[in-house]
Amino acid sequence: MAAHATLPFSCSSKLQTLTRTLSPRGPLHLRRGFIRLPSLAAFPRFSRAPHPSCRHISASAEASNGASAEGEYDFDLFTIGAGSGGVRASRFASTLHGARVAICEMPFATIASEEHGGLGGTCVLRGCVPKKLLVYGSKYSHEFEESRGFGWTYETDPKHDWSTLIANKNTELQRLVGIYKNIINNSGATLIEGRGKIVDPHTVSVNGKLYTAKNILVAVGGRPSIPNIPGIEHVIDSDAALDLPSKPEKIAIIGGGYIALEFAGIFNGLKSDVHVFIRQKKVLRGFDEEVRDFLAEQMSLRGITFHTEQTPQAITKSNDGLLSLKTSKETIGGFSHVMFATGRKPNTKNLGLEEAGVEMDKNGAIVVDEYSRTSVESIWAVGDVTNRINLTPVALMEGGAFVKTVFGNEPTKPDYRAVPSAVFSQPPIGQVGLSEEQAIEEYGDVDVFVANFRPLKATLSGLPDRVLMKIIVCATTNKVVGVHMCGDDAPEIIQGIAIAVKAGLTKQDFDATIGIHPTSAEEFVTMRNATRKIRNNTASEVESKDEVVTKQ
Ligand SMILES: Cc1cc2nc3c(=O)[nH]c(=O)nc-3n(C[C@H](O)[C@H](O)[C@H](O)COP(=O)(O)OP(=O)(O)OC[C@H]3O[C@@H](n4cnc5c(N)ncnc54)[C@H](O)[C@@H]3O)c2cc1C
């Protein structure tokens, strides 16, 4: 694995809008925590002057919140982990409600460990942001191929320099770490560098120093989880894959989830020989079945080899340094890299949670109620550590709802309805709401509109690129309950469509909307005839004549 690099905790002071890349996850199965609704009486009364930056807040907001009496505790809130959820909650508690907040974060390293992390957390340092930068970098090869049909010629094929991409990506990450430091400092919260550990329901230790707080927020996220099989010391995880010293020549990627597919697209775009090994028959468990098939086909057409129904058993390294992967079906050699993208585990080990009485599930995720409160009254948890929907915007929402509940006198549950997400594969997926299968299970009678077409660009590029779009409608109410797309710009398009789905708009509303021509997105407002009408869960599936809309 790549060695740890150290970044300073300083950078540009200019506050900028942070990249907010939305993303995926299989359709959203929420784990049910125990339900314990906190009564307003459970929230302590506000008892001290607010932070100067929020003197304007209303009397009612000040009347009751999670602040402690002066001197009772060092802080009103102590947050462990300065990632998406922790920073959002700490900042809002301090600036909006005048709470006395401390937040601790471990020193930066490229690869996260029990002792290393970095301001900004996974999204900024080892997830959404660096991943998307590499996706951008890798997409050019497909665009170069497309350009030939539009008249471009090259004397020689353009060359890619991996070290330039990684160096520029790292410069950007340093800038973001600096921005996060400024965000925290400007909010008035106290930033403490080091590993936090819960000592008791109101005490956290960092580097041996004890801090007391009325409320503790655990926002420690998760880390890659890799099975312990022979030769596992030779493999890399997603942290390392984002910061390799050289580009893989031939890579085996184990896993069929969104992270595996995004990296497969990155390395394929950069002209590595990419093999994806999945345990099941299909990629992206939990996504719409038609979308799963479509994406795998499109990725195969771009040169990625899928090995299905295979479990990895061992990795061996030969004298020439190349790796062989033995699976339940075959052994393939010659890999420069083997990457495991086999899931993530919450960072709850050795955090003092058991000792403090905080309940966890069998995967180590913290069990919380609908307000993100743990089984210990003063300890709360948001983000990936609770394993609800593990996405940055969801961690932000949970952090914001926690602050309203505890400091704003406004008990607020995070709202998990119609959370849109994306897979930044190539081509990418955007989706919001239910898959066809989930909609049938939930509503029984469902109308499905499908368009599978060759986009305009492909007519001249000559490439076999296609686009898949689906609208899923509850036949009883005519409400659009799910929208899915796989094709260029799908995440950008679905972000807009998500507003309509969240607002509960009907298929008529979609039909009444005028398209923007010529775009792929206009198909979402011009799909007139249902491709399938599913009634009473199965039997009378009516296939319409235009099963697949072909748009040339
Ligand atoms: C490769 C990859 C790609 C992703 N792409 C996307 C995407 O495109 N879109 C999207 O929405 N989501 C994406 N995600 C998921 C997203 O990154 C997470 O959902 C999000 O970061 C969760 O935020 P969080 O606050 O819960 O945890 P994190 O952001 O992980 O923050 C937790 C922080 O706590 C720190 N910490 C841990 N233990 C301690 C301790 N004891 N003391 C002090 N600090 C501690 C860690 O160092 C870390 O900084 C991706 C994830 C990965 C791995």
Side-chain angles (χ1 to χ4, degrees):
M1 296 198 183
H4 289 179
T6 319
L7 264 187
F9 262 6
S10 67
C11 254
S12 148
S13 61
K14 201 168 151 207
L15 284 183
Q16 298 195 5
T17 308
L18 289 174
T19 314
R20 294 200 302 126
T21 40
L22 297 181
S23 194
R25 247 325 160 88
L28 315 167
H29 297 294
L30 286 183
R31 189 177 44 69
R32 299 236 180 275
F34 59 89
I35 308 295
R36 184 159 51 91
L37 305 188
S39 71
L40 278 184
F43 301 127
R45 293 188 67 75
F46 190 86
S47 58
R48 64 180 197 85
H51 185 276
S53 64
C54 68
R55 289 260 149 74
H56 60 279
I57 58 176
S58 69
S60 62
E62 290 188 7
S64 164
N65 75 10
S68 55
E70 198 72 60
E72 197 183 350
Y73 297 103
D74 298 332
F75 297 101
D76 301 322
L77 172 65
F78 195 107
T79 302
I80 307 178
S84 310
V87 171
R88 168 60 58 94
S90 303
R91 188 162 68 89
F92 279 14
S94 179
T95 58
L96 301 179
H97 301 287
R100 294 171 303 141
V101 178
I103 180 166
C104 73
E105 176 57 61
M106 302 185 290
F108 173 86
T110 324
I111 296 174
S113 68
E114 279 222 12
E115 302 300 328
H116 288 91
L119 294 177
T122 304
C123 173
V124 173
L125 302 173
R126 293 168 215 96
C128 329
V129 175
K131 176 269 308 277
K132 187 84 186 279
L133 293 174
L134 265 53
V135 169
Y136 282 130
S138 63
K139 268 170 57 171
Y140 285 100
S141 59
H142 193 69
E143 285 157 15
F144 293 141
E145 274 183 58
E146 288 175 323
S147 71
R148 295 184 194 279
F150 293 86
W152 290 94
T153 54
Y154 310 102
E155 295 294 308
T156 54
D157 278 340
K159 297 261 172 300
H160 182 259
D161 181 30
W162 173 262
S163 51
T164 302
L165 174 61
I166 297 301
N168 289 346
K169 182 262 300 174
N170 285 340
T171 304
E172 174 59 9
L173 297 196
Q174 290 199 32
R175 192 182 71 83
L176 293 176
V177 169
I179 285 176
Y180 265 84
K181 188 180 184 186
N182 288 337
I183 286 175
I184 295 168
N185 287 338
N186 293 342
S187 75
T190 303
L191 177 59
I192 301 165
E193 193 181 5
R195 183 173 197 283
K197 186 167 178 179
I198 294 174
V199 175
D200 67 38
H202 291 286
T203 311
V204 175
S205 85
V206 186
N207 302 331
K209 199 165 170 208
L210 297 182
Y211 301 89
T212 60
K214 177 82 181 165
N215 298 282
I216 295 171
L217 178 66
V218 184
V220 293
R223 287 220 308 276
S225 154
I226 290 186
N228 191 13
I229 57 173
I232 202 69
E233 66 278 11
H234 302 306
V235 313
I236 57 170
D237 58 20
S238 60
D239 288 8
L242 287 166
D243 207 33
L244 290 172
S246 60
K247 189 201 81 176
E249 286 308 315
K250 180 176 175 183
I251 184 167
I253 299 179
I254 323 297
Y258 83 95
I259 293 178
L261 299 189
E262 290 177 342
F263 278 93
I266 289 169
F267 292 124
N268 177 60
L270 294 173
K271 301 291 177 201
S272 305
D273 181 6
V274 178
H275 293 251
V276 177
F277 294 80
I278 56 177
R279 255 188 322 185
Q280 309 199 330
K281 277 201 175 89
K282 291 186 187 186
V283 297
L284 290 180
R285 185 160 57 94
F287 282 64
D288 185 278
E289 292 295 321
E290 216 166 355
V291 174
R292 296 172 76 182
D293 292 335
F294 182 85
L295 176 67
E297 189 184 304
Q298 286 290 307
M299 290 179 73
S300 301
L301 285 170
R302 293 191 186 195
I304 293 169
T305 308
F306 285 96
H307 304 258
T308 58
E309 297 180 277
Q310 308 207 13
T311 316
Q313 294 186 335
I315 299 99
T316 48
K317 192 171 192 170
S318 54
N319 290 340
D320 56 9
L322 293 177
L323 302 170
S324 290
L325 175 69
K326 180 175 183 296
T327 72
S328 45
K329 264 193 188 166
E330 58 186 333
T331 299
I332 304 187
F335 293 111
S336 59
H337 296 77
V338 174
M339 172 184 174
F340 271 67
T342 42
R344 293 175 60 80
K345 258 186 114 72
N347 273 330
T348 45
K349 245 175 75 189
N350 201 17
L351 201 62
L353 292 165
E354 294 91 344
E355 296 82 348
V358 174
E359 191 187 335
M360 283 177 279
D361 69 13
K362 62 180 186 336
N363 299 316
I366 295 179
V367 177
V368 288
D369 69 10
E370 290 173 296
Y371 295 88
S372 301
R373 191 176 222 153
T374 72
S375 53
V376 175
E377 199 166 345
S378 58
I379 303 181
W380 307 73
V382 295
D384 285 10
V385 74
T386 60
N387 196 22
R388 286 175 279 185
I389 298 176
N390 298 335
L391 293 173
T392 287
V394 174
L396 298 176
M397 168 178 70
E398 290 169 356
F402 155 78
V403 169
K404 280 188 182 162
T405 300
V406 177
F407 296 99
N409 193 23
E410 192 187 335
T412 303
K413 301 175 191 173
D415 178 0
Y416 298 100
R417 285 171 308 122
V419 172
S421 66
V423 180
F424 293 97
S425 45
Q426 297 177 39
I429 291 174
Q431 60 165 27
V432 57
L434 304 179
S435 65
E436 180 175 341
E437 297 72 34
Q438 290 170 326
I440 292 169
E441 205 180 312
E442 189 156 336
Y443 297 107
D445 293 354
V446 167
D447 293 343
V448 182
F449 298 77
V450 183
N452 178 332
F453 59 91
R454 189 179 190 207
L456 182 60
K457 198 176 188 185
T459 57
L460 290 206
S461 75
L463 298 181
D465 296 355
R466 294 188 72 80
V467 175
L468 176 73
M469 291 178 167
K470 281 184 85 164
I471 302 180
I472 324 274
V473 180
C474 167
T476 320
T477 60
N478 208 32
K479 273 195 181 157
V480 173
V481 295
V483 180
H484 305 259
M485 175 175 175
C486 182
D488 274 356
D489 302 321
E492 306 286 342
I493 293 167
I494 292 293
Q495 179 66 86
I497 299 271
I499 300 170
V501 175
K502 180 82 176 179
L505 298 192
T506 62
K507 182 65 170 56
Q508 275 98 331
D509 294 315
F510 276 58
D511 294 344
T513 304
I514 304 297
I516 299 175
H517 186 72
T519 61
S520 290
E522 68 182 309
E523 198 65 34
F524 277 129
V525 294
T526 54
M527 286 194 241
R528 299 276 178 248
N529 302 317
T531 308
R532 291 187 281 284
K533 288 177 187 284
I534 292 139
R535 296 293 176 262
N536 297 322
N537 274 336
T538 48
S540 54
E541 184 173 315
V542 184
E543 293 278 347
S544 83
K545 288 203 177 67
D546 50 346
E547 150 87 81
V548 169
V549 180
T550 305
K551 186 187 178 206
Q552 290 281 351

